[in-house]
Each structure stands twice: as structure tokens, then as C-alpha cells.
């Protein structure tokens, strides 16, 4: 079961992220895919706001991963710069994302094929940006109770 949403603006993308945060909990892994400029970081900004994290959520492209403290911490990682390495999975392991996985919501941009092993259950979010700047967001549950939670999100 997949869920698809159309979002007209960056603000709508952030608002959807806040709604998505309402079904997230400690230990969740969210994997974001989509082209540059699709709205992945805007979605994470909304998730951070919905989780009540401290400080601004910005792209971690150059620092690779950031931890945002809050009632439910957010680990925001970006694997974009790891893709051209001989063994990007080893670099993901070096980030030690699994050390905080139980206590935080972990969101990884550009992590397809690299981070799925961190959790048997995860949510894949595919974002595409159309020519009119509308974004389509497809939510694909992998294991666990994600399908139930996505149904709650639709309500």
C-alpha cells in the first residue's frame, strides 16, 4: 500500500512534514529519495517542527549528519556526497547512525541502497518536483505497522 500526496508549495511540503511527524516515533527510519530541489529538506524541516526539535533544520549535505535535540530527537543525515565513494555503506557505518536509532527519528536523504539495513521497518518517501513546482510525495511502507500509521495520516 502506497500513499500519494500532491503539494503545491514549499510551505505545503513543510506542513505535510509536520503532519507526518504526528505518526513518527522514536526508533523510526525514514528514507527520502528524489532529485535535487525536490523538497526533501523542506519536508524534514516540517518533521523537525512537528517533533518540536530545537533550532533550525538545514541541509546536512556538507556535515553529512546532524542531531536535533527535542522531546523526540531528530537525526537528519544526507548521503548525497557518499555516493561516489568506493564503499559508501562503510561510510554510513562510520556515521554510527544506529547508535541513536532507538532514541530518535532518523531521516536520511539520498540513502537508498545504503541505510535500509539500519532498521527492518522503515518508511520510504519519494518526492518529485513537477514542471509547475508542484511536488508529488509517495509514501511507501516497509514492514512493521507503517501501513496502519499511514492510514492514520490520511484521516
Amino acid at each position: 500500500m502506497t500513499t500519494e500526496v500532491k503539494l503545491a508549495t514549499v510551505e505545503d511540503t513543510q506542513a505535510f512534514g509536520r503532519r507526518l511527524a504526528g505518526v513518527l516515533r522514536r526508533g523510526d527510519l525514514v528514507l527520502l529519495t528524489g532529485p535535487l530541489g525536490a523538497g526533501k529538506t523542506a519536508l524534514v524541516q516540517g518533521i523537525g517542527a512537528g517533533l518540536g526539535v530545537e533550532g533550525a533544520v538545514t541541509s546536512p549535505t556538507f556535515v553529512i549528519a546532524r542531531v536535533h535535540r527535542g522531546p523526540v530527537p531528530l537525526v537528519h543525515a544526507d548521503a548525497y556526497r557518499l555516493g561516489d565513494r568506493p564503499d559508501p555503506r562503510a561510510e554510513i557505518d562510520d556515521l554510527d547512525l544506529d547508535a541513536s536509532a532507538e532514541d530518535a527519528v532518523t531521516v536520511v536523504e539520498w540513502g537508498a541502497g545504503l541505510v535500509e539495513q539500519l532498521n527492518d521497518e522503515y518508511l520510504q518517501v519519494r518526492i518529485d518536483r513537477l514542471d509547475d513546482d508542484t511536488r508529488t510525495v509517495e509514501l511507501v511502507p516497509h514492514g512493521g505497522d507503517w501501513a496502519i500509521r499511514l492510514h492514520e495520516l490520511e484521516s
Side-chain angles (χ1 to χ4, degrees):
M1 171 193 143
T2 63
T3 300
E4 188 169 305
V5 178
K6 288 194 184 267
L7 305 167
T9 66
V10 171
E11 292 78 15
D12 292 340
T13 305
Q14 292 168 333
F16 181 73
R18 285 191 296 279
R19 284 188 39 227
L20 180 58
V23 301
L24 297 176
R25 56 184 177 235
R26 293 174 189 271
D28 282 346
L29 173 63
V30 180
L31 174 62
L32 303 181
T33 60
L36 285 170
K40 295 179 294 295
T41 299
L43 183 71
V44 181
Q45 289 168 339
I47 291 171
L51 294 175
V53 301
E54 301 168 5
V57 174
T58 59
S59 177
T61 299
F62 295 102
V63 295
I64 311 299
R66 285 196 173 98
V67 177
H68 299 276
R69 306 279 177 224
V72 176
L74 171 66
V75 176
H76 182 199
D78 187 332
Y80 181 75
R81 295 173 56 90
L82 304 182
D84 61 350
R85 305 286 195 252
D87 187 5
R89 286 187 192 173
E91 288 191 273
I92 288 289
D93 288 343
D94 289 345
L95 292 176
D96 211 17
L97 294 177
D98 53 349
S100 58
E102 290 182 18
D103 296 324
V105 169
T106 302
V107 180
V108 183
E109 298 184 35
W110 300 95
L114 300 173
V115 299
E116 292 90 339
Q117 76 277 0
L118 293 175
N119 199 329
D120 293 335
E121 307 165 0
Y122 63 94
L123 178 64
Q124 182 175 11
V125 180
R126 298 179 188 147
I127 304 175
D128 278 309
R129 186 171 164 186
L130 306 177
D131 290 339
D132 65 357
D133 282 342
T134 299
R135 284 144 177 90
T136 59
V137 179
E138 182 182 22
L139 305 164
V140 183
H142 293 271
D145 65 349
W146 279 111
I148 295 166
R149 290 197 265 167
L150 291 182
H151 182 70
E152 291 172 13
L153 183 65
E154 292 174 352
S155 307

